[in-house]
Amino acid sequence: MRAALGGAVLALGAVAASALPANAVPANAAAATRLTVSVAPEISTGPAPKSVTLECEPAGGTHPDAAAACDDLIKAGGDFRKIPPLPAGCPTYYSPVVATVQGLWRGTPVSASARYTNAVCANVQTGGHILHF
């Protein structure tokens, strides 16, 4: 009896698992994506530092366009430096900034940064969402 019941439970588990979409993310992974996204001047005469929080799967935090930023990050495997640039030009003025993304990406600690000629170029070169705040 116990063996028959155990087999039924396993069969139900297999049916439930097969009903999930292939790209479904486990609920515990959603809670494990919490990032701080920052853009800071490299020199003291640059723009004021800015920082937002970003949560993905589901999108949230203080980022003004969290859903689009998360979509870009998901497509780039969690590395903002791999997001394709916008098909737009960058202004030529020099006011270097450093963009940083730190925290947890799907439960894995991440810390990545990149230097850009100015804040506008940082936004253009990272797809227009992740650093647009």
Side-chain angles (χ1 to χ4, degrees):
M1 175 79 167
R2 186 176 293 217
L5 184 57
V9 170
L10 286 175
L12 284 175
V15 169
S18 66
L20 292 174
N23 61 352
V25 176
N28 60 348
T33 298
R34 291 181 301 278
L35 304 166
T36 300
V37 182
S38 305
V39 178
E42 190 174 71
I43 53 179
S44 62
T45 59
K50 297 180 192 178
S51 184
V52 294
T53 60
L54 179 63
E55 298 173 8
C56 298
E57 302 170 317
T62 61
H63 195 290
D65 196 359
C70 287
D71 286 345
D72 285 352
L73 275 175
I74 290 166
K75 291 173 189 168
D79 188 345
F80 82 99
R81 299 166 300 181
K82 293 181 180 178
I83 298 171
L86 290 173
C90 280
T92 58
Y93 68 91
Y94 186 72
S95 182
V97 296
V98 175
T100 305
V101 174
Q102 295 181 348
L104 291 176
W105 175 255
R106 293 180 172 171
T108 301
V110 295
S111 181
S113 62
R115 183 179 177 278
Y116 301 94
T117 305
N118 56 57
V120 175
C121 287
N123 187 47
V124 168
Q125 292 174 354
T126 57
H129 299 115
I130 186 80
L131 301 179
H132 189 241
F133 54 86

